[in-house]
Amino acid sequence: MSDNKDLNIETVKSFLLKLQDNICQTLELADGKGHFKEDNWQRAEGGGGRTRVLTGGAVIEQGGVNFSHVFGAKLPPSATAVRPELAGRTFQAMGVSLVIHPNNPYVPTSHANVRFFVAEKPDEDPVWWFGGGFDLTPFYPFLEDVQHWHTVASQLCEPFGSDVYPRYKKWCDEYFYLKHRDETRGVGGLFFDDLNEFGFEKSFSFMQVVGNGYLDAYIPIIEKRKDLPFGEREKQFQLYRRGRYVEFNLVYDRGTLFGLQTSGRTESILMSMPPLARWEYDFKAKSNTPEAKLTDEFLIPKDWLNSSDAEVG
């Protein structure tokens, strides 16, 4: 890249560590009871991280916010599958990744991730890129929540170009898709990878905006839904739908595959899993039920910014 002179790995790392702090502090305030437990870990091949997990909160059944900075002698297959020209390069990878699994089935599960990669080779310029995004996985969805989530996403992207939100929204819909179920994991949000086209400073700025914007998208939904009453029916459906989350993370998620292929800390890699989930053979929600509404009306990519209640179905 023409602006490799501007490359500042320590500045990126400093931002990510502060982002982890801010997200954990804000989620603890929203929960009102739980606190994140921190584990610092080292990776034998190089690097390490700090994993923070909250369990048994008033709002959050289990949530993890992980920072990692790892490096190694060669990129794993998950990183070079779409970039074969990078095979054989040394690498550094750092990022913050989080998944929040709430108690209340009316509060959606949420995921966010921002990351930075540098691949290096002697006598050649470093190749670097940013990636990340956030996405929402409701069980009993509300259109106004989905619209709020996507409105925040759109507003974050707007200063970087009018085409950015539509492009990264579409990428999110396509990435968080369970092919074997023929459905999206949730209602999407933003997903981007291999970002260096803006140059280092602007690309880094976009990653910061997305990382910081996650709380603006999620906290209002928590506040609105956390006290809604629910019973065993809703809880059992939430556990069933969490099974889809597990399926995606173990079968398709590139971050999970990258972590496992680079001998990362397994407990930190799999912190994204829900504390409880269940599977039921050939389950089909009855027509015109709240459970059917999820798959019939929401797990289909839509222009959420311009959808009305009448148009969702």
Side-chain angles (χ1 to χ4, degrees):
M1 296 294 297
S2 60
D3 67 345
N4 275 331
K5 64 181 185 298
D6 297 325
L7 194 64
N8 192 327
I9 295 172
E10 286 305 311
T11 300
V12 178
K13 183 174 182 177
S14 177
F15 164 75
L16 291 169
L17 288 166
K18 290 176 183 175
L19 177 67
Q20 185 192 34
D21 288 341
N22 185 41
I23 289 174
C24 288
Q25 290 164 6
T26 305
L27 287 172
E28 284 184 352
L29 287 172
D31 185 90
K33 173 189 172 186
H35 297 282
F36 283 93
K37 173 190 171 185
E38 180 175 291
D39 282 330
N40 287 280
W41 52 273
Q42 298 296 316
R43 176 175 169 270
E45 292 82 354
R50 62 185 194 189
T51 295
R52 293 176 180 168
V53 175
L54 186 158
T55 57
V59 175
I60 300 170
E61 187 171 348
Q62 183 165 293
V65 184
N66 192 41
F67 165 81
S68 62
H69 178 199
V70 301
F71 41 89
K74 65 176 183 177
L75 282 159
S78 60
T80 58
V82 293
R83 301 282 295 273
E85 73 278 8
L86 300 180
R89 285 180 176 249
T90 61
F91 75 93
Q92 291 191 62
M94 63 180 72
V96 168
S97 181
L98 68 95
V99 177
I100 304 300
H101 295 287
N103 283 307
N104 193 319
Y106 290 105
V107 182
T109 287
S110 70
H111 160 257
N113 170 268
V114 285
R115 55 193 179 272
F116 178 59
F117 278 74
V118 182
E120 297 179 282
K121 198 172 186 177
D123 303 320
E124 292 188 24
D125 285 340
V127 177
W128 57 264
W129 66 94
F130 290 93
F134 50 67
D135 64 284
L136 193 70
T137 306
F139 308 102
Y140 290 92
F142 296 86
L143 178 59
E144 63 185 287
D145 294 350
V146 179
Q147 289 183 323
H148 162 76
W149 182 264
H150 279 274
T151 296
V152 172
S154 176
Q155 290 171 346
L156 295 174
C157 294
E158 188 60 34
F160 296 87
S162 59
D163 65 320
V164 174
Y165 166 73
R167 186 153 46 103
Y168 291 163
K169 187 264 187 194
K170 182 174 185 288
W171 199 346
C172 189
D173 289 336
E174 292 172 349
Y175 179 76
F176 291 105
Y177 181 76
L178 287 83
K179 300 178 183 69
H180 63 286
R181 297 288 191 181
D182 192 24
E183 64 185 31
T184 57
R185 187 172 80 172
V187 295
L190 298 173
F191 181 89
F192 66 98
D193 207 357
D194 302 318
L195 176 64
N196 55 25
E197 65 197 65
F198 295 154
F200 179 79
E201 289 298 333
K202 189 174 178 181
S203 298
F204 180 31
S205 177
F206 181 72
M207 186 265 265
Q208 293 176 76
V209 163
V210 171
N212 290 325
Y214 161 77
L215 291 171
D216 296 329
Y218 193 46
I219 295 298
I221 298 175
I222 290 179
E223 295 298 332
K224 190 175 290 187
R225 307 301 172 192
K226 66 181 182 180
D227 295 321
L228 291 179
F230 66 91
E232 186 63 18
R233 168 179 168 167
E234 290 84 3
K235 193 65 183 178
Q236 287 300 312
F237 184 67
Q238 178 198 49
L239 297 183
Y240 170 72
R241 290 301 311 183
R242 281 179 177 177
R244 297 287 204 273
Y245 213 89
V246 173
E247 290 174 22
F248 181 88
N249 280 18
L250 292 181
V251 177
Y252 299 113
D253 188 72
R254 282 164 55 181
T256 302
L257 296 175
F258 177 86
L260 296 175
Q261 290 175 358
T262 55
S263 302
R265 182 173 184 258
T266 301
E267 289 299 315
S268 298
I269 297 164
L270 297 182
M271 71 168 193
S272 61
M273 298 304 174
L276 294 170
R278 72 180 187 91
W279 282 260
E280 181 176 330
Y281 177 74
D282 201 26
F283 171 82
K284 292 182 176 63
K286 294 181 180 178
S287 298
N288 301 315
T289 62
E291 292 77 17
K293 183 177 182 180
L294 174 67
T295 48
D296 292 350
E297 300 180 15
F298 282 86
L299 298 187
I300 304 163
K302 288 186 173 68
D303 175 9
W304 295 110
L305 297 180
N306 297 298
S307 294
S308 67
D309 285 306
E311 294 167 337
V312 168

